[in-house]
Amino acid sequence: MYKWFHQLGSPPTFYRWSGRWLPWLSLICFVLFVIGLYGGLVYAPADYQQSDSFRIMYVHVPAAWMSMFVYMVMAISGAIAIIWHMKLAEIVMLSSAPIGASFTFLALVTGSIWGKPMWGTWWEWGDARLVSELILLFLYIGVIGLYSAIDDKRKAAQSVAILSLVGIINIPIIHYSVIWLNTLHQGPTVTKFDNPSIDTRMLIPLLIMAVAFKLFYGIVLLLRSRNEVLWRERRSQWVKDTLGDKTDG
Amino acid sequence: MNVFITILKRDLILAIRHRAELLNPMLFFVLVIVLFQLGLRAKPEVLVDFAPAIVWIAALLSALLSLDHMFRSDMEDGALEQMIISTQATSLLVLAKIIAHWIITGLAVTLVGPLLGMMLGLSFDATKILFLTLLIGTPVLSAIGSIGVALTVGLRRGGVILSLLVLPLFVPVLIFASQTVTTYIAGYPIAASISFLIALLVLSLSLAPWATAAALRVSVS
């Protein structure tokens, strides 16, 4: 196990290994998206309260899940980068930040589009999850901003790793402080519609979409990491060999 | 422990010799609050609702403004490198610098804040609670802020990126502190929210020095 981990950490092995997996992952992800979207938009019955407008859930909920998941991946790979100074962990962490920020942004936009017909307003400060999602977006932007501000990229990666670890401790505190704020000030009662236990026909497409989003993240992460690996190792022999083969053939 | 006191003394002496720097954050704090009121022109009974948040946001901004000085001059004259390569635990030195920063900036804000709270129409009792939240909350700002400063100290223009890193992390302090005062004014018990603030204080003072020390090692190397 450790040996495998170690081998994967070396850029050429990672590059070859990820190249082999990418087409398969893309295929599975595409199929899951088609099934999930069909299931969500066509097969699932309309909600008795929200009629068809609930269907945005099939994008909103997985995006929101991913926004947290990606931050977690970032913090864990940040910890690995600090402890073992592993280059690949740095690359995974750095490549994850813009993807996570995009998921967070998507969750915010779809959330506010969903909020308009449901709550009657585009933005609701009373909803704790919406607000803490917004702050999560700022944390992502901070990570990206710090990385681009430091010129020495190895140093920048180490700094970002520390920042993302600090962030992961703060996310629960921020989240619960926002919730606490709102339980104290009893907000307008429309903000929370009671979710009746969800119908299986609605749930299954949601889960499929969640898996599809995870795979999509994996694919984009691999693509970005491969680029980053090539760019960082652009002066080494193996990159010249790999890319040279392609241009010759 | 000797080192801790030495650093604390040194920073305080340095601050006293540069009195302008000592006063600036406090003047900035007062100015922001005055500007708020001039812009709002709110009726006294409405202003009371805003007062805790206004005072606290001004406190956040003045802490942010003064944070940049925490390590910059030490970085420029090389003292910071000496601290890091010394045999003492860096986190202990960082803790001394955090506390020195709080005494220089946070304490002034804590003392002036209640007066401004009264100017904004808070009752005397509510002002006492505001004082208490400032007393507990402003050291948290210095502690969390030190992480951000340590990460950006190597940069020539760290100011803007520093605010981007640190302000989201200040959110819990702002929420708990200003809520404590509004809850008190509304007549509800505040023991729970004060306990939360104290928890934030303990957590940040015990964890932030480690993160800051690690960040300094990266920035200075």
Side-chain angles (χ1 to χ4, degrees):
Chain A
M1 172 67 195
Y2 189 76
K3 192 178 164 230
W4 175 80
F5 192 65
H6 199 72
Q7 276 180 347
L8 193 61
S10 93
T13 323
F14 168 75
Y15 190 82
R16 252 179 288 127
W17 174 86
S18 59
R20 227 175 299 144
W21 277 85
L22 261 177
W24 294 104
L25 282 178
S26 312
L27 185 69
I28 299 170
C29 176
F30 179 74
V31 171
L32 282 179
F33 261 123
V34 170
I35 298 173
L37 282 176
Y38 176 80
L41 299 182
V42 182
Y43 171 74
D47 190 82
Y48 79 103
Q49 237 179 347
Q50 312 184 29
S51 68
D52 278 332
S53 60
F54 88 98
R55 292 186 197 276
I56 199 170
M57 170 180 92
Y58 292 107
V59 179
H60 173 71
V61 174
W65 282 344
M66 288 312 292
S67 67
M68 316 251 178
F69 178 78
V70 174
Y71 204 97
M72 221 168 66
V73 171
M74 222 168 73
I76 292 171
S77 44
I80 296 174
I82 291 177
I83 298 166
W84 289 296
H85 287 265
M86 192 170 149
K87 273 188 207 164
L88 193 64
E90 283 176 12
I91 291 172
V92 166
M93 175 186 72
L94 297 170
S95 314
S96 290
I99 311 174
S102 317
F103 276 128
T104 316
F105 186 69
L106 184 65
L108 279 172
V109 171
T110 50
S112 113
I113 293 172
W114 195 6
K116 185 62 186 165
M118 287 307 109
W119 302 334
T121 162
W122 294 105
W123 187 262
E124 176 56 61
W125 288 106
D127 190 65
R129 278 186 281 184
L130 211 55
V131 176
S132 58
E133 193 80 355
L134 181 65
I135 292 167
L136 184 66
L137 181 64
F138 287 128
L139 290 177
Y140 272 120
I141 293 173
V143 165
I144 297 169
L146 181 65
Y147 182 66
S148 57
I150 303 177
D151 290 331
D152 178 353
K153 289 307 171 196
R154 257 341 265 283
K155 212 182 205 181
Q158 291 290 318
S159 297
V160 165
I162 294 171
L163 181 65
S164 57
L165 280 177
V166 171
I168 202 89
I169 296 175
N170 268 281
I171 284 174
I173 300 177
I174 293 171
H175 184 70
Y176 285 104
S177 66
V178 177
I179 289 180
W180 186 80
L181 169 70
N182 291 305
T183 47
L184 201 80
H185 267 222
Q186 190 60 52
T189 39
V190 280
T191 53
K192 271 188 187 153
F193 47 90
D194 272 315
N195 250 15
S197 56
I198 190 167
D199 190 296
T200 344
R201 281 179 300 166
M202 290 182 186
L203 182 64
I204 288 172
L206 182 63
L207 294 179
I208 292 175
M209 283 302 279
V211 176
F213 264 69
K214 277 227 163 79
L215 283 178
F216 180 72
Y217 163 60
I219 292 163
V220 179
L221 178 66
L222 283 184
L223 285 173
R224 288 188 67 99
S225 311
R226 280 162 64 86
N227 263 344
E228 185 73 28
V229 163
L230 283 185
W231 181 249
R232 285 188 173 202
E233 308 262 314
R234 62 189 179 277
R235 295 209 174 78
S236 68
Q237 192 55 45
W238 73 267
V239 173
K240 281 175 192 153
D241 290 347
T242 342
L243 294 188
D245 282 347
K246 273 184 190 156
T247 43
D248 291 346
Chain B
M1 208 56 206
N2 272 333
V3 190
F4 179 83
I5 293 165
T6 315
I7 296 255
L8 195 62
K9 256 190 203 158
R10 169 182 168 274
D11 273 21
L12 292 181
I13 291 172
L14 280 177
I16 290 169
R17 293 196 180 147
H18 295 92
R19 277 195 207 127
E21 277 178 36
L22 200 67
L23 277 177
N24 284 345
M26 197 184 73
L27 291 176
F28 177 78
F29 173 72
V30 175
L31 207 59
V32 170
I33 292 178
V34 171
L35 287 182
F36 250 114
Q37 169 54 2
L38 290 179
L40 277 172
R41 287 283 173 142
K43 294 192 188 99
E45 57 270 27
V46 186
L47 193 60
V48 170
D49 290 342
F50 294 147
I54 294 176
V55 172
W56 259 98
I57 288 172
L60 294 192
L61 293 178
S62 89
L64 191 67
L65 191 75
S66 61
L67 274 173
D68 205 40
H69 294 298
M70 197 188 260
F71 297 120
R72 176 136 344 245
S73 58
D74 287 347
M75 176 86 175
E76 279 162 2
D77 64 15
L80 196 61
E81 279 178 23
Q82 297 303 318
M83 288 180 201
I84 290 170
I85 60 175
S86 76
T87 50
Q88 307 294 330
T90 315
S91 49
L92 193 66
L93 306 179
V94 168
L95 187 63
K97 290 200 78 81
I98 290 171
I99 291 173
H101 177 262
W102 177 74
I103 294 175
I104 296 163
T105 63
L107 193 60
V109 165
T110 308
L111 295 176
V112 179
L115 290 178
L116 290 157
M118 283 189 131
M119 272 169 75
L120 294 174
L122 289 179
S123 70
F124 185 62
D125 287 338
T127 313
K128 278 192 275 187
I129 302 299
L130 180 66
F131 173 73
L132 193 62
T133 60
L134 283 169
L135 191 65
I136 304 169
T138 43
V140 183
L141 305 183
S142 299
I144 297 177
S146 73
I147 305 173
V149 189
L151 287 171
T152 54
V153 72
L155 305 175
R156 253 164 293 140
R157 293 186 178 185
V160 182
I161 190 80
L162 175 66
S163 56
L164 196 61
L165 298 185
V166 165
L167 282 180
L169 302 179
F170 282 171
V171 167
V173 186
L174 174 69
I175 289 179
F176 285 122
S178 70
Q179 281 311 109
T180 307
V181 183
T182 30
T183 349
Y184 180 80
I185 295 171
Y188 294 106
I190 54 162
S193 46
I194 288 282
S195 313
F196 268 115
L197 266 182
I198 295 173
L200 284 179
L201 176 66
V202 173
L203 196 70
S204 62
L205 277 185
S206 51
L207 290 183
W210 268 273
T212 307
L216 279 180
R217 254 173 252 131
V218 172
S219 289
V220 170
S221 67

